[in-house]
Amino acid sequence: MKDAVEKIIRSLVGEPDAVEVEEIADGKNVRIEVRVAPGDMGRIIGREGRTVKAIRSVLFAAGQKQGKRFHLDLVED
């Protein structure tokens, strides 16, 4: 799942080399942490949070098939 999220995020941002995706698994719960350049944070969140909500919806559907629960966190440094 990490690779899929990374590919989606890289296609949305202006600086794809600055994208870092980390996957932390804890049983059925999987946390995916995404770090992007400060200027690209708005592109990931989208207008009224629609873009990040859409990515989370994709993760939810994939989690239903795999029997896992994915959480997407956007990390600011």
Side-chain angles (χ1 to χ4, degrees):
M1 218 54 229
K2 173 187 171 192
D3 296 331
V5 171
E6 189 170 356
K7 190 167 189 166
I8 291 169
I9 299 293
R10 282 183 186 268
S11 67
L12 293 173
V13 298
E15 296 180 44
D17 295 334
V19 174
E20 295 177 21
V21 179
E22 185 178 342
E23 186 174 83
I24 303 164
D26 180 26
K28 287 189 175 187
N29 293 320
V30 179
R31 169 156 284 134
I32 298 175
E33 293 182 350
V34 177
R35 288 179 178 81
V36 295
D40 289 329
M41 190 60 78
R43 289 182 180 199
I44 298 301
I45 295 171
R47 188 170 283 159
E48 295 183 9
R50 290 184 187 149
T51 305
V52 74
K53 186 176 179 182
I55 296 169
R56 287 180 174 142
S57 295
V58 170
L59 287 174
F60 178 78
Q64 292 292 313
K65 284 192 146 199
Q66 296 180 11
K68 295 182 180 180
R69 188 171 187 121
F70 292 103
H71 300 277
L72 180 68
D73 292 335
L74 301 176
V75 180
E76 288 185 84
D77 290 332

